[in-house]
Amino acid sequence: MIEEGSKSSKSMVEKRQLFMEMRAQNFDVIRLSTYRTACKLRFVQKRCNLHLVDVWNMIEAFRDNGLSTLDHNAEINVSRLETILSSIFYQLNKRLPTTHQINVEQSIGLLLNFIVATYDSEGHGKLTVFAMKAMLATMCGGKILDKLRYIFSQISDSNGVMVFAKFDQFLREVLKLPTAVFEGPSFGYTEHSVRTCFPQQKILLNTFLDVLMADPPPQYLVWLPLMHRLANVENVFHPVECSYCRSESMMGFRYRCQQCHGYQLCQSCFWRGHASGPHSNQHQMKEHSSWRSPAKKLSHAISKSLGCMPIGEPPHPVFPEAAERPQDLAHNTSTLESPSRLDEEHRLIARYAARLAAEASNSTQCPPTDLSFNFDANKQQRQLIAELENKNREILQEIQRLRLEHEQASQPTPEKAQQNPTLLAELRLLRHRKDELERRMSALQESRRELMVQLESLMRLLKDEEQKQAAQAGSSPHSSPSHSASCTMPMPIRSTSAGSTPTHTPQDCLAGVGDDVLDAFSQGVPRNLRNDLLVAADSITNTMSSLVKELHSVDDGLEEEEENMRNGREKVSSLKHSGKRHSTPSF
């Protein structure tokens, strides 16, 4: 009796260990429930070493343990759940280097107690297969896109259309995770959650991903993408001082106020609601997950002004609307065997033939009653071997033929060049135009250098003329000062943005020229000379900007034409390889 009491008390301590460690982290001081929930679940994920298990490894573990063939509503007991977790973590240790091995027994115990406390609070000792899949697929490591694709495969029918009843069941199971970390009031399940999220009648994979990966995502699942963002910024360094705690650097998220200029907070101060000076917690804050230096900001502004900014990528790639057929990765073979595999089969066949020959030689010592039976069996085996060898030869010939066709299709031939002469002519024209623009740019660069030299000499002449006039004025006070003639020589300008007109002062525009030019302007050169020089410089800068834009347009045209040619080759290759399968993820 004493031993049983000690074992039960030890089990209770193990069940409470993870929650006691979580409480010690003091996550409850975080002001916003979304960040509070994401931080708690991220702590559970790392403490149980689930962040080291990729979602694809988790799917493989489900298949190896026979869960793919079970019904979602089938129940498994705690002992089988422990066996599944053991296979997951032991396989993880095989993939990890020896210096980063984990404590498998401790990870199994912590995760098992957390799952039981989350999904078997009444103590029945059983949970459904779908609940275990939903929990492990949500809490494991990997990309959120891969997780959502796997979840959609579990809640959709054979036509690739989401079943609302299954999605409702998924919400019931996955929202037990915030409840397990004492955040149930903020993210509890409601019966209207499904329809508020998907008002459409037919939900395919792309629509499902659009809704759950939107910014912002649905309110009851907003903690899921935030947990992934937390994992991505844990080691991000920001060399910026916090405006509240005065820390000289930040780790993780960085928050910038949209109303107070230059006011930034580290994630610890923002999560706790700290504010100082004119800043208030009611001000809108922008979350930054990376640091961009002033040089990168300048290049970003230049690219934006030149129209070179890349088009924003969608939150996820667009997948085909047809339902994806799951593949068995454990027994994944291609229609055409590789040459090494065929050579190995030939060796096995030769070894088997030698063994049959040895058995045939020994059969002479058998009783006469068995001779006819052995002869017939050997004859059938030889016929089978001959058939296998013929099939292997046919496969090798087919492989050789397909290789030759692929090489011929990939090599440029005169016939292919004649298939689309218009495309090739446009490509040559674009290349010729690009070369011409580059030559024009080089000529303009040379002209700018020559104008700088001429401007320097002109300033020296003006300075000498002023000195002579000053000397004459000193010798004859009645002589009238002569004004310098205005000049419209163009002047080079160092501009930070090739496509925008400079708005800085003339002194800034003269950066890079000689001291005589700077002295001449600072001592009051006539206004018409300064304006003419600036106007000429602006015209040169605008000309350079237009050339840059044309070069970029030519580069884009070349890339588009080359992409069209590659697509054409791929279509020809795909037509010849009609037996090729689509490579899709297995679920």
Side-chain angles (χ1 to χ4, degrees):
M1 296 294 293
I2 297 176
E3 292 181 356
E4 292 179 357
S6 61
K7 288 182 180 179
S8 62
S9 62
K10 182 179 180 181
S11 177
M12 292 297 295
V13 171
E14 291 178 351
K15 290 182 179 180
R16 296 175 181 174
Q17 178 182 354
L18 183 63
F19 295 100
M20 290 188 296
E21 292 179 1
M22 185 177 63
R23 288 184 182 275
Q25 299 295 321
N26 201 19
F27 290 123
D28 291 331
V29 300
I30 299 177
R31 180 170 55 98
L32 302 175
S33 61
T34 303
Y35 287 96
R36 191 167 60 244
T37 305
C39 288
K40 289 181 179 180
L41 292 177
R42 175 62 178 168
F43 173 79
V44 174
Q45 183 190 49
K46 295 181 66 176
R47 188 67 181 86
C48 297
N49 290 316
L50 277 175
H51 67 295
L52 302 175
V53 184
D54 192 81
V55 62
W56 299 108
N57 300 128
M58 193 66 72
I59 297 172
E60 184 180 1
F62 294 160
R63 184 184 300 108
D64 293 341
N65 288 274
L67 299 179
S68 300
T69 59
L70 294 178
D71 186 76
H72 283 175
N73 296 323
E75 294 184 341
I76 59 174
N77 53 27
V78 177
S79 60
R80 185 172 182 184
L81 175 60
E82 185 175 3
T83 303
I84 296 171
L85 297 181
S86 300
S87 66
I88 292 172
F89 287 112
Y90 277 112
Q91 289 295 326
L92 172 62
N93 253 359
K94 291 180 181 180
R95 295 189 298 269
L96 293 176
T98 55
T99 55
H100 293 77
Q101 297 287 300
I102 64 171
N103 189 338
V104 175
E105 297 298 331
Q106 185 182 33
S107 300
I108 294 172
L110 290 175
L111 183 56
L112 180 64
N113 292 327
F114 179 75
I115 295 176
V116 171
T118 304
Y119 294 98
D120 188 29
S121 58
E122 298 180 357
H124 296 300
K126 294 182 179 181
L127 70 158
T128 62
V129 172
F130 185 75
M132 189 196 64
K133 283 185 176 182
M135 183 271 171
L136 292 177
T138 303
M139 293 295 294
C140 68
K143 299 179 180 179
I144 186 173
L145 176 64
D146 298 332
K147 292 183 180 182
L148 294 177
R149 288 183 64 193
Y150 173 71
I151 291 170
F152 185 82
S153 70
Q154 301 298 304
I155 62 175
S156 59
D157 57 15
S158 59
N159 297 322
V161 179
M162 187 187 76
V163 180
F164 282 89
K166 291 184 178 181
F167 181 69
D168 183 76
Q169 184 182 3
F170 167 73
L171 284 183
R172 291 176 183 269
E173 303 299 343
V174 79
L175 290 180
K176 291 179 181 178
L177 293 173
T179 304
V181 293
F182 315 107
E183 297 295 334
S186 300
F187 301 101
Y189 169 80
T190 60
E191 296 180 356
H192 305 287
S193 300
V194 178
R195 285 300 176 183
T196 56
C197 182
F198 296 107
Q200 305 93 333
Q201 295 296 327
K202 184 178 180 181
I203 305 299
L204 300 177
L205 175 59
N206 292 315
T207 307
F208 180 78
L209 296 177
D210 288 339
V211 173
L212 295 188
M213 297 186 67
D215 187 17
Q219 179 60 32
Y220 47 82
L221 289 176
V222 69
W223 50 269
L224 180 58
L226 180 58
M227 186 176 68
H228 285 78
R229 296 206 308 271
L230 281 173
N232 294 331
V233 303
E234 284 181 347
N235 298 319
V236 174
F237 176 77
H238 304 269
V240 181
E241 181 183 9
C242 178
S243 300
Y244 182 84
C245 65
R246 299 301 176 185
S247 176
E248 296 181 356
S249 60
M250 303 180 190
M251 293 293 292
F253 286 119
R254 173 171 56 91
Y255 298 89
R256 176 186 290 273
C257 182
Q258 301 299 295
Q259 299 182 24
C260 304
H261 177 71
Y263 193 89
Q264 302 188 78
L265 293 176
C266 62
Q267 67 176 20
S268 178
C269 293
F270 175 75
W271 290 353
R272 286 159 176 77
H274 293 161
S276 60
H279 178 70
S280 172
N281 290 330
Q282 304 301 322
H283 290 180
Q284 184 180 3
M285 303 290 287
K286 185 176 181 181
E287 181 183 278
H288 295 273
S289 58
S290 62
W291 163 253
R292 189 162 55 188
S293 63
K296 290 185 178 180
K297 292 180 180 178
L298 179 61
S299 63
H300 179 81
I302 293 175
S303 301
K304 188 174 181 180
S305 63
L306 290 174
C308 301
M309 288 297 296
I311 300 175
E313 296 183 356
H316 65 85
V318 179
F319 297 97
E321 298 294 343
E324 297 178 347
R325 185 175 61 182
Q327 293 181 350
D328 190 359
L329 295 181
H331 307 283
N332 188 18
T333 57
S334 59
T335 56
L336 296 179
E337 301 287 347
S338 63
S340 60
R341 178 70 178 273
L342 293 174
D343 293 339
E344 182 180 359
E345 289 184 356
H346 280 295
R347 287 194 296 269
L348 291 175
I349 292 172
R351 189 180 306 171
Y352 187 64
R355 180 180 177 183
L356 291 177
E359 291 178 358
S361 62
N362 295 331
S363 64
T364 57
Q365 303 175 0
C366 296
T369 56
D370 297 335
L371 287 177
S372 60
F373 176 76
N374 291 334
F375 178 78
D376 294 337
N378 292 337
K379 184 178 180 180
Q380 293 177 358
Q381 291 171 353
R382 284 194 296 271
Q383 291 177 354
L384 179 61
I385 291 172
E387 292 177 0
L388 291 174
E389 289 179 348
N390 291 331
K391 289 182 179 179
N392 284 328
R393 281 193 294 270
E394 292 176 0
I395 292 174
L396 286 174
Q397 292 175 0
E398 183 68 15
I399 291 174
Q400 186 66 23
R401 184 182 65 80
L402 291 174
R403 284 179 177 174
L404 292 175
E405 290 181 358
H406 179 70
E407 291 177 357
Q408 293 175 0
S410 61
Q411 292 178 358
T413 59
E415 291 78 4
K416 292 183 180 180
Q418 294 176 1
Q419 289 178 0
N420 197 348
T422 305
L423 183 63
L424 296 178
E426 292 180 356
L427 183 60
R428 286 193 295 269
L429 181 62
L430 287 173
R431 288 177 178 172
H432 178 72
R433 185 183 176 190
K434 179 182 178 183
D435 296 337
E436 183 181 356
L437 289 175
E438 289 179 349
R439 288 193 297 270
R440 288 177 59 188
M441 178 175 283
S442 301
L444 283 175
Q445 294 278 5
E446 186 65 27
S447 300
R448 291 183 66 181
R449 287 193 291 270
E450 293 177 359
L451 289 174
M452 289 176 65
V453 175
Q454 294 177 9
L455 182 60
E456 182 68 22
S457 61
L458 179 59
M459 292 298 103
R460 289 176 182 172
L461 292 175
L462 290 174
K463 185 175 181 181
D464 294 340
E465 185 66 23
E466 289 178 355
Q467 290 178 356
K468 290 180 182 181
Q469 291 178 1
Q472 292 177 2
S475 60
S476 61
H478 299 286
S479 61
S480 61
S482 61
H483 297 284
S484 300
S486 63
C487 183
T488 61
M489 294 292 289
M491 179 182 65
I493 299 176
R494 292 187 178 180
S495 175
T496 59
S497 176
S500 60
T501 304
T503 58
H504 39 67
T505 60
Q507 284 77 6
D508 295 335
C509 297
L510 293 173
V513 299
D515 295 336
D516 293 334
V517 178
L518 296 174
D519 294 338
F521 276 97
S522 62
Q523 292 174 3
V525 179
R527 182 177 182 84
N528 55 356
L529 173 61
R530 182 184 305 175
N531 293 337
D532 293 342
L533 290 174
L534 290 177
V535 170
D538 285 342
S539 64
I540 293 177
T541 302
N542 293 331
T543 304
M544 294 298 295
S545 301
S546 63
L547 284 174
V548 171
K549 291 180 180 179
E550 292 183 1
L551 282 176
H552 281 295
S553 64
V554 171
D555 290 338
D556 294 339
L558 288 174
E559 292 177 358
E560 182 179 358
E561 296 299 333
E562 292 176 356
E563 183 67 21
N564 292 333
M565 294 183 70
R566 284 196 298 269
N567 292 335
R569 297 193 193 102
E570 291 176 357
K571 289 180 179 179
V572 173
S573 177
S574 63
L575 290 175
K576 293 181 179 180
H577 295 77
S578 59
K580 184 178 179 182
R581 292 185 179 177
H582 295 283
S583 177
T584 54
S586 66
F587 303 113

